[in-house]
Amino acid sequence: MKILVIGGTGLIGTKTVAKLRALGHEVIAASPNTGINTITGEGLAEAVNGAEVVIDLANSPSFADKDVMEFFETSGKNLLAAEINAGVKHHIALSVVGTSRLQASGYFRAKQVQEDLIVRSGIPYTIIHSTQFLEFLGGIVASAQDGDVINLSNAKIQPIAAEDVSSFVVEFALGQPINRIVEIGGPEHFELAGLVKQYLVKTQNPKEVVGSKDALYFGSPLEEFTLIPAAEAKLGKLTFEEWFGLSAQK
């Protein structure tokens, strides 16, 4: 079938597109660079035409509160309107475990708006809530850095490798719409500060990690299990050690 992947040239999108094509599907990898823009609408109607499934993996280029809200609201409205016109049968979006619990953060408020637009659209859907990607550990370090110190919460985290995320996205894309949120996560629990300490050692980064229950996560406070999925979540296979070994080979 024809499948449109918004954000199809990004970290998760590239892997998802490759896996779907290997299974024989007609897949369009959509991004502004390929002439399909959900903000301006450029090429969107043509790309959605004839698609049975649309997978939205796009992310805002800016995490500033105003920018990220405008991105997800505009992109979501434009994409869903195009899907309604084209008669798309299944809309899939990738979001974040704990979104509703992280509303002190402008980024997660914007993700909640994105999800609400999907639910109200009337299009059959599956919203995938993922735990944090292992590939984003460097981004977590950058967000929490204060000079030579990294201030992070001691809350629990259950990170997942992008390889496993893309496999789950493909699985849900080829299934029937669930019309609710499903959760995915990695196979291991860590304390956030402790995991980043391990990551810095492996990447030979001398900065100090200071763990505190009061440290903010992208502007939002964390309870112990804010970032942990429910017990029925689907779990990936790659451990932190396996993922790091594979990433170090690239």
Side-chain angles (χ1 to χ4, degrees), residues 161 163 238-250:
E163 182 67 27
L238 283 174
T239 65
F240 170 66
E241 292 288 344
E242 290 168 338
W243 166 80
F244 191 86
L246 291 170
S247 63
Q249 295 172 16
K250 296 180 180 178

Side-chain angles (χ1 to χ4, degrees), residues 88-136:
V88 169
K89 298 177 181 177
H90 191 181
H91 178 96
I92 295 157
L94 185 61
S95 194
V96 186
V97 164
T99 290
S100 64
R101 302 189 289 269
L102 292 163
Q103 292 298 292
S105 162
Y107 180 83
F108 291 102
R109 287 195 298 272
K111 290 297 289 183
Q112 187 65 59
V113 166
Q114 178 194 29
E115 294 183 24
D116 292 343
L117 287 169
I118 294 165
V119 172
R120 293 197 302 264
S121 71
I123 301 169
Y125 69 91
T126 301
I127 296 173
I128 305 170
H129 271 196
S130 174
T131 57
Q132 190 56 261
F133 308 153
L134 284 164
E135 285 80 359
F136 197 57

